[in-house]
Amino acid sequence: MVRSGVMAARRSLEASGLGSNPRGGARNGFGRVMSEYAVVVLAAGSGTRMKSSTPKVLHEIAGLPLIGHVLSTAHSLGATHVITVLRHEKVQIENYVKAFYPTTVIAYQDEIPGTGRAVEAALEALPKEFAGDVVVLSGDVPLLDVQSIHELLEMHREDSNAGTLISTLLPNPNGYGRILRSRESFLGIVEQKDAAPEQLSINEVNAGVYVFGVKHLANALGKVTTKNAQGEKYLTDVAALLLEQGEKVSAHVLEDIWLVAGINDRKQLSEVAKELNSRIVSAWQLSGVTIQEPETTWVDVTVTLAQDVTLLPGTRLHGFTSIGEGSVVGPDTTLVDVEVGENVSISRTEASSSKILSGAKVGPFAYIRPGTQLGKDGKIGAFVETKNAVIGDGSKVPHLSYVGDATIGTGSNIGAGTIFANYDGVNKHKTVIGSEVRTGSGNVFVAPISIGDGAYTAAGSTIRRDVEPGALALSVTPQKNLAGWVLDKRPGTKSAQAAKEAK
Ligand code: UD1
Ligand code: MG
């Protein structure tokens, strides 16, 4: 599932304070983070630990692929260039990047593996005259926010560093590169696979997020080798190399460990997804949404909720779903790209790519498929399936029906157990029902067909011909009762016995 408009959604998320860094204390309002800088997003790795045919950075949390979160942030930073580096499964990732972040420059890593090599490929995509700073973000670190990166840049510039990076303290540092220090001062980074046993107990880890002056970076990368446990050109080696050259490099500890959580396997994917969701849910609660059970409520970053919306347990809101003031959704309801008006109630329902206008009631147990529009104060009731159906204001489909490829005017009522037979086995056809129509229970409308305004249809009818306004359509043959049929044709049955006793 990929979606458009994520930038705007992400910006509104950041405006609402989600994903912001609780350290607070914006330095100088970022006033000096204005000079030219580039952002590089690393996404060329093979993602082997995901064990998936989907590239790691296209796995989703809160409705966006990992790289979508990182590119949203990258493009919100105000950088002069945003470059992403691809190699493994590049076609799929490139299609996504081009569709949703078309101003991103794409660079390709060659066969030499490692994050350092990836950054080299990105530097080649920068204009020769570029002399600013380079921010490096990892495509698999999705929650890092704009504010933390701006603060990193600020510190980098205030301290006149050649390189500055983010670290954090993890109770379980397994898998991450460890930060080496002598007393307070930063000495370098050692990867887990290269670490000596005593280094493995260090719990300050490298977040995989850096700023470097471009000249220092290019120069040091030229000296990085692949002589390590993984045979890779590590970006992390740049830090120690710059220090050796007498340059300043520092690591800043971010207290919020989730902001720098990297995703390498599906366990981490679900853990980070859960954390992001709990932040999204809390932020909506603080902005006036009642959420009864946060642990079972899932809301994508792209969703918008009005004040005084109520979400009942087991509600999942995905994509470009929006819900108007006073509406109650749930329990056990999933909405994907559904626009919901004000004061709507939707219970135990699955709906996608549809619109439910104000005052309408849906469910329980409705299945609303793409192209459904339910008018103001309308109803789609229990065990009703709809698809490509525009149902007018005040019209009701209360029970046990299928409404596909149809328009229904205003104020009409569809009888219980009605089927809109839209498929002739080859093609789909349309049913048009006028306003203030009353259809009987158990009808079949064989499309293409149209029922005029104010018409009635009788219970049990199969309607094959158009019905003019105001007519009553009956298609059932007159009822005949064959007296004594059961005693005659089903002798000795319990029915025959009961019939005999009733006589
Ligand atoms: C990396 C860091 C580690 C840090 C961790 C934080 C290095 C050598 N290690 O380890 O210190 O603690 O991130 O999450 O940098 N990538 C490429 N090209 C490659 C390899 C990777 O572009 O050849 C990309 C990946 O697609 C990914 C990012 O770089 O988005 C990080 O790569 P990954 O293999 O996940 O590195 P880690 O082992 O997590
Ligand atoms: Mg990683």
Side-chain angles (χ1 to χ4, degrees):
M1 263 189 296
V2 288
R3 315 180 202 293
S4 58
V6 288
M7 300 279 296
R10 176 78 184 190
R11 272 196 292 276
S12 71
L13 181 73
E14 268 162 6
S16 75
L18 283 169
S20 78
N21 153 11
R23 286 183 306 165
R27 297 164 66 167
N28 303 335
F30 316 124
R32 267 174 293 134
V33 189
M34 294 310 288
S35 59
E36 193 179 50
Y37 66 98
V39 181
V40 174
V41 175
L42 302 183
S46 56
T48 18
R49 289 166 278 182
M50 290 303 275
K51 303 203 167 94
S52 175
S53 60
T54 301
K56 170 165 83 173
V57 296
L58 290 187
H59 281 262
E60 285 191 8
I61 61 172
L64 290 186
L66 301 181
I67 194 169
H69 289 279
V70 181
L71 284 174
S72 290
T73 305
H75 283 281
S76 305
L77 287 169
T80 42
H81 309 270
V82 176
I83 303 168
T84 189
V85 189
L86 306 180
R87 176 174 169 80
H88 288 277
E89 297 161 301
K90 63 172 179 258
V91 178
Q92 280 185 71
I93 306 172
E94 185 164 341
N95 287 342
Y96 174 79
V97 173
K98 283 190 168 152
F100 297 106
Y101 303 92
T103 58
T104 310
V105 174
I106 294 174
Y108 302 97
Q109 187 175 349
D110 61 12
E111 66 290 345
I112 299 173
T115 45
R117 187 61 177 174
V119 170
E120 275 186 314
L123 295 186
E124 275 168 34
L126 278 172
K128 293 253 170 316
E129 64 279 9
F130 179 84
D133 289 318
V134 178
V135 173
V136 180
L137 305 177
S138 288
D140 65 348
V141 178
L143 302 196
L144 193 71
D145 62 336
V146 169
Q147 185 180 336
S148 302
I149 299 165
H150 275 162
E151 287 181 11
L152 178 71
L153 259 167
E154 277 266 310
M155 293 185 269
H156 175 78
R157 289 174 179 185
E158 271 185 10
D159 299 347
S160 306
N161 281 353
T164 311
L165 55 107
I166 294 181
S167 68
T168 194
L169 299 167
L170 291 185
N172 174 10
N174 195 38
Y176 287 84
R178 310 295 204 280
I179 301 293
L180 306 178
R181 289 186 190 268
S182 153
R183 297 217 178 92
E184 286 295 281
S185 54
F186 172 79
L187 292 182
I189 303 161
V190 61
E191 289 304 294
Q192 158 113 7
K193 287 191 177 144
D194 301 291
E198 68 276 12
Q199 292 172 325
L200 288 175
S201 62
I202 297 172
N203 69 348
E204 183 181 359
V205 302
N206 170 31
V209 175
Y210 323 74
V211 196
F212 298 102
V214 68
K215 295 259 148 58
H216 294 301
L217 178 59
N219 194 308
L221 279 172
K223 299 189 175 115
V224 174
T225 70
T226 56
K227 285 181 202 138
N228 52 55
Q230 302 186 87
E232 292 184 4
K233 197 161 183 176
Y234 293 158
L235 176 60
T236 45
D237 286 352
V238 164
L241 278 166
L242 289 173
L243 287 172
E244 271 171 35
Q245 292 167 10
E247 300 294 343
K248 282 175 72 185
V249 181
S250 63
H252 286 279
V253 183
L254 201 62
E255 275 165 30
D256 185 342
I257 60 171
W258 290 104
L259 293 184
V260 297
I263 293 177
N264 298 306
D265 59 37
R266 303 211 203 200
K267 242 180 130 266
Q268 291 167 327
L269 184 75
S270 73
E271 287 159 4
V272 176
K274 195 172 165 200
E275 176 62 25
L276 175 55
N277 187 62
S278 102
R279 291 178 186 219
I280 293 169
V281 164
S282 310
W284 284 120
Q285 287 176 312
L286 296 177
S287 69
V289 173
T290 295
I291 298 179
Q292 270 193 358
E293 198 174 75
E295 315 78 68
T296 64
T297 304
W298 291 80
V299 181
D300 284 354
V301 285
T302 39
V303 167
T304 53
L305 305 174
Q307 200 173 306
D308 289 320
V309 161
T310 298
L311 304 182
L312 299 176
T315 294
R316 294 157 176 268
L317 306 178
H318 299 299
F320 288 96
T321 293
S322 63
I323 303 192
E325 196 166 328
S327 290
V328 179
V329 179
D332 302 327
T333 292
T334 301
L335 307 182
V336 182
D337 299 328
V338 180
E339 195 181 318
V340 177
E342 295 172 3
N343 302 313
V344 166
S345 90
I346 305 181
S347 114
R348 297 187 199 278
T349 285
E350 172 124 5
S352 58
S353 304
S354 294
K355 242 180 176 177
I356 311 293
L357 303 193
S358 299
K361 289 195 162 43
V362 177
F365 309 109
Y367 179 29
I368 302 203
R369 292 164 53 199
T372 299
Q373 178 174 321
L374 177 60
K376 281 188 190 152
D377 303 318
K379 177 169 185 173
I380 292 176
F383 304 103
V384 172
E385 174 178 345
T386 63
K387 182 213 75 175
N388 192 22
V390 177
I391 301 169
D393 292 352
S395 284
K396 298 189 161 87
V397 188
H399 330 274
L400 300 156
S401 295
Y402 171 63
V403 180
D405 300 307
T407 63
I408 300 175
T410 59
S412 290
N413 190 81
I414 304 302
T418 291
I419 302 299
F420 285 48
N422 56 333
Y423 185 47
D424 63 11
V426 180
N427 295 308
K428 301 279 171 71
H429 301 282
K430 192 165 179 191
T431 299
V432 177
I433 298 210
S435 295
E436 300 300 341
V437 170
R438 305 284 177 265
T439 73
S441 294
N443 281 187
V444 176
F445 293 108
V446 182
I449 194 150
S450 103
I451 313 292
D453 291 345
Y456 275 53
T457 62
S461 295
T462 296
I463 307 292
R464 297 175 187 277
R465 285 190 291 119
D466 289 354
V467 179
E468 63 271 29
L472 166 66
L474 301 121
S475 74
V476 270
T477 48
Q479 181 174 329
K480 271 197 275 182
N481 295 346
L482 304 179
W485 186 92
V486 175
L487 287 173
D488 193 22
K489 301 287 186 193
R490 300 286 183 269
T493 62
K494 285 184 179 174
S495 302
Q497 181 65 27
K500 207 186 280 175
E501 282 163 16
K503 284 231 161 144

